[in-house]
């Protein structure tokens, strides 16, 4: 099922202007509106969040806005620059998030994220990352994911939520309570529908089609069908002149998997030649299949490092061809590399007789594209005395080797979240003689410790003065456990004096 992300930028003109003139020139707390002329009248064309909170709306007279807000900053609207900046933002989204992005003028973007969201850990993770990056750029944004462009466009602007993800198959139900203005209908049509008692999309969808089509034309029901996903609404992707890409048009539509695979490999060879000429490697490839009904099917793959190996890239793309629905046939295929980096070579062996370094990056890329990038990682040590903070996840291809600060300490290979245990021990310094964990009692035959770990007061004030005393315990069963007592065994201010199991030695 297709999935679309609609990005709504309610204050795009003012946010864009603030960034253009410099945030230090115009303080963020100062209200800003843009003005345009309609005949001889000066009207507000765009507002920022501060002006919006104080009741100023687009369409009112500038003089009225100045009465509502003392010291209001008024600037001339720059429609062409706003449109150019929106196109640049679409290119930014194309390189980072989706192979199919278009400007949804005048204040939004539309992204086809079908088959691409898993590369970022799912739809929620993709939306969260996008909104976080835009917020860092001082751009106010709302995002909604739905089954159709029309539904996503309507919900992001009228549902009143900054982030909304509609479950697959539930978009039609979600848009029923929204006003008919959410269907992108002309203002006069919306006003006439309101006058005859049709306020919501649900009320409109329940009416007979013929009378309303006769009165308002076919566009009314076309918009309804697009929103409900009954009618396809092709996206014309943003054009990036500097993008490295190759394409192949066909005299007769193709659709057989073997044929799609053959031309995928040919396009990959052509693209790799262009990458070699530019001295670049691809970090992401987007393969577009333009169907005869103008719908674009897309597969997207990413790599951990820059790559231009034909065999490797072809395999990643061919593995995903089964997700393509050719419909009545494919008219054109386009392969592009929206994310590229300089490709450097590395020495794999220093001596003739020395074995080469195993190359597992191909496996990393295959697993990442199949199961999602967030599920593949490796662990490295961190310079921290607190065991649960001494390990962190990094990308499999990352160069970091971690800290060796705790290398001299004995640590279990398997750590648990600290689990309470009932222990029998003589305070303050003696190890437990027996303990009960997960309903099973263990008798201790050998122990080593204590190893005292102090709280990191520079991380949290609540850890000031806190300590843990760790022991390695060998049970009569032959198993070895890592347990600690919270506190020094005498003073409750240093911890609860309770016992916890934190790890197990293999």
């Amino acid at each position: 099922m297709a999935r679309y992300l609609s990005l709504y930028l309610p204050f795009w003109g003012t946010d864009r202007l603030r960034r253009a003139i410099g945030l230090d020139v115009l303080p963020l707390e100062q209200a800003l509106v843009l003005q345009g002329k309609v005949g001889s009248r000066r009207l507000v064309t765009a507002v920022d969040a501060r002006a919006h909170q104080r009741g100023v709306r687009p369409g009112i007279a500038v003089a009225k806005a100045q009465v509502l807000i003392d010291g209001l900053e008024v600037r001339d609207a720059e429609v062409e620059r706003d449109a150019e900046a929106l196109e640049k933002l679409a290119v930014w989204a194309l390189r980072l998030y989706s192979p199919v992005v278009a400007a949804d003028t005048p204040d939004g973007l539309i992204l086809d994220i079908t088959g691409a969201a898993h590369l970022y850990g799912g739809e929620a993770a993709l939306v969260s990352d996008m909104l976080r990056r835009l917020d860092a750029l001082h751009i106010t944004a709302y995002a909604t994911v739905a089954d159709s462009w029309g539904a996503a466009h309507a919900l992001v602007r009228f549902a009143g939520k900054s982030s909304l993800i509609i479950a697959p198959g539930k978009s039609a139900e979600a848009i029923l309570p929204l006003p008919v203005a959410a269907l992108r209908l002309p203002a006069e049509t919306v006003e006439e529908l309101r006058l005859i008692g049709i306020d919501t999309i649900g009320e409109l969808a329940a009416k007979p089609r013929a009378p309303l089509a006769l009165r308002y034309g076919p566009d009314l029901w076309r918009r309804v069908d697009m929103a409900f996903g009954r009618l396809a609404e092709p996206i014309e992707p943003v054009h990036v002149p500097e993008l490295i890409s190759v394409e192949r048009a066909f005299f007769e539509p193709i659709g057989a998997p073997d044929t799609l695979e053959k031309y995928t490999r040919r396009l990959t060879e052509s693209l790799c030649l262009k990458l070699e000429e530019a001295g670049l490697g691809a970090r992401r490839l987007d393969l577009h299949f333009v169907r005869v009904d103008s719908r674009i099917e897309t597969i997207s793959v990413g790599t951990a490092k820059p790559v231009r190996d034909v065999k490797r890239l072809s395999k990643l793309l061919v593995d995903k061809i089964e997700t393509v629905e050719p419909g009545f046939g494919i008219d054109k295929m386009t392969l592009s590399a929206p994310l590229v980096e300089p490709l450097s070579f590395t020495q794999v062996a220093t001596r003739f007789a020395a074995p080469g370094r195993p190359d597992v990056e191909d496996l990393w890329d295959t697993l990442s594209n199949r199961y999602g990038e967030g599920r593949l990682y490796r662990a490295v040590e961190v310079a921290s005395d607190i065991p649960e903070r001494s390990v962190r996840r990094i990308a499999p291809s990352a160069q970091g080797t971690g800290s060796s600060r705790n290398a001299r300490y004995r640590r279990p290979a398997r750590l648990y979240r600290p689990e309470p245990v009932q222990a029998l021990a003589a305070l303050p310094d003696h190890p437990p003689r027996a303990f009960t964990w997960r309903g099973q009692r263990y008798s201790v035959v050998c122990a080593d410790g204590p190893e005292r770990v102090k709280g990191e007061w520079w991380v949290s004030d609540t850890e000031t003065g806190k300590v843990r005393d760790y022991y390695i315990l060998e049970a009569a069963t032959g198993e070895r456990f890592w347990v600690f007592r919270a506190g020094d065994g005498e003073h409750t201010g240093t911890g609860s004096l309770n016992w916890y199991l934190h790890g197990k030695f293999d």
Side-chain angles (χ1 to χ4, degrees), residues 116-174:
H118 78 282
L119 296 175
Y120 307 90
E123 295 174 348
L126 188 153
V127 169
S128 177
D129 185 73
M130 177 180 288
L131 294 181
R132 177 184 60 80
R133 289 175 182 266
L134 290 171
D135 183 66
L137 296 173
H138 300 286
I139 298 176
T140 306
Y142 300 84
T144 293
V145 178
D147 296 336
S148 67
W149 178 354
H153 179 99
L155 288 163
V156 76
R157 287 164 172 78
F158 292 88
K161 296 184 178 181
S162 61
S163 177
L164 180 62
I165 299 177
I166 305 299
K170 300 294 184 180
S171 298
E173 179 182 345

Side-chain angles (χ1 to χ4, degrees), residues 410-482:
R410 287 178 292 174
R411 295 288 184 263
R414 184 182 306 175
L415 280 179
Y416 302 101
R417 294 181 184 275
E419 298 184 16
V421 296
Q422 296 177 355
L424 178 63
L427 298 178
D429 296 326
H430 292 276
R433 297 177 181 176
F435 65 93
T436 302
W437 176 54
R438 295 182 178 179
Q440 183 175 348
R441 181 177 175 82
Y442 296 88
S443 296
V444 178
V445 297
C446 185
D448 189 15
E451 175 192 343
R452 176 158 293 182
V453 173
K454 296 183 178 181
E456 296 178 339
W457 52 266
W458 58 91
V459 175
S460 173
D461 292 338
T462 60
E463 296 184 16
T464 303
K466 304 295 183 182
V467 299
R468 294 177 183 176
D469 285 339
Y470 279 88
Y471 294 86
I472 300 175
L473 306 179
E474 183 174 336
T477 59
E479 298 172 283
R480 291 193 303 158
F481 300 91
W482 203 40

Side-chain angles (χ1 to χ4, degrees), residues 159-193:
K161 296 184 178 181
S162 61
S163 177
L164 180 62
I165 299 177
I166 305 299
K170 300 294 184 180
S171 298
E173 179 182 345
I175 65 174
L176 292 178
L178 301 182
V180 292
L183 293 174
R184 294 173 290 169
L185 296 170
E188 55 273 16
T189 301
V190 173
E191 181 62 22
E192 290 185 19
L193 290 172

Side-chain angles (χ1 to χ4, degrees), residues 3-319:
R3 299 289 283 170
Y4 296 87
L5 188 156
S6 181
L7 189 69
Y8 175 42
L9 311 168
F11 313 119
W12 174 242
T14 52
D15 283 348
R16 199 271 314 163
L17 184 60
R18 282 184 183 275
R19 297 176 66 244
I21 64 177
L23 299 175
D24 54 341
V25 175
L26 185 62
L28 285 174
E29 62 273 7
Q30 184 175 356
L32 169 68
V33 300
L34 305 182
Q35 67 174 351
K37 283 192 175 182
V38 178
S40 59
R41 301 178 61 198
R42 289 192 308 150
L43 300 180
V44 173
T45 61
V47 302
D48 68 353
R50 300 130 197 96
H52 186 271
Q53 291 172 358
R54 299 171 72 173
V56 178
R57 297 292 184 271
I60 71 172
V62 173
K64 181 178 179 180
Q66 291 173 323
V67 170
L68 291 173
I69 302 177
D70 186 28
L72 177 67
E73 180 75 17
V74 180
R75 299 271 180 140
D76 292 331
E78 299 176 326
V79 179
E80 292 183 358
R81 289 192 178 182
D82 289 344
E84 291 175 0
L86 194 61
E87 289 286 329
K88 292 181 180 179
L89 190 67
V91 174
W92 169 83
L94 175 74
R95 297 187 185 277
L96 286 180
Y97 298 107
S98 171
V100 180
V101 182
D104 193 2
T105 53
D107 52 12
L109 300 179
I110 185 68
L111 294 78
D112 186 345
I113 60 172
T114 308
H118 78 282
L119 296 175
Y120 307 90
E123 295 174 348
L126 188 153
V127 169
S128 177
D129 185 73
M130 177 180 288
L131 294 181
R132 177 184 60 80
R133 289 175 182 266
L134 290 171
D135 183 66
L137 296 173
H138 300 286
I139 298 176
T140 306
Y142 300 84
T144 293
V145 178
D147 296 336
S148 67
W149 178 354
H153 179 99
L155 288 163
V156 76
R157 287 164 172 78
F158 292 88
K161 296 184 178 181
S162 61
S163 177
L164 180 62
I165 299 177
I166 305 299
K170 300 294 184 180
S171 298
E173 179 182 345
I175 65 174
L176 292 178
L178 301 182
V180 292
L183 293 174
R184 294 173 290 169
L185 296 170
E188 55 273 16
T189 301
V190 173
E191 181 62 22
E192 290 185 19
L193 290 172
R194 188 185 65 80
L195 291 176
I196 63 176
I198 301 177
D199 296 319
T200 66
I201 295 176
E203 293 172 348
L204 176 61
K207 297 295 182 182
R209 291 198 166 212
L212 292 176
L214 182 63
R215 181 171 182 178
Y216 299 107
D219 284 348
L220 174 64
W221 292 111
R222 186 170 62 88
R223 288 295 188 187
V224 172
D225 290 339
M226 286 179 176
F228 281 92
R230 301 167 189 152
L231 186 63
E233 187 173 4
I235 296 177
E236 185 65 32
V238 61
H239 178 61
V240 187
E242 66 274 14
L243 194 68
I244 298 178
S245 65
V246 292
E247 65 179 36
R248 178 67 180 264
F250 306 101
F251 291 107
E252 294 291 338
I254 63 173
D258 291 345
T259 307
L260 296 179
E261 179 180 339
K262 179 179 69 174
Y263 286 106
T264 296
R265 295 185 185 277
R266 290 184 180 179
L267 288 174
T268 305
E269 291 177 5
S270 301
L271 185 73
C272 287
L273 288 175
K274 287 192 173 185
L275 290 172
E276 185 175 1
E277 292 174 358
L280 300 172
R283 287 291 310 278
R284 201 186 88 204
L285 293 181
D286 297 334
L287 181 55
H288 301 287
F289 301 84
V290 183
R291 305 192 328 186
V292 294
D293 60 358
S294 297
R295 177 177 172 79
I296 299 177
E297 292 282 323
T298 303
I299 55 177
S300 181
V301 297
T303 60
K305 293 182 177 180
V307 177
R308 62 167 179 257
D309 180 71
V310 176
K311 182 178 179 181
R312 183 170 167 184
L313 295 176
S314 296
K315 182 180 183 299
L316 294 176
L317 292 168
V318 169
D319 284 347

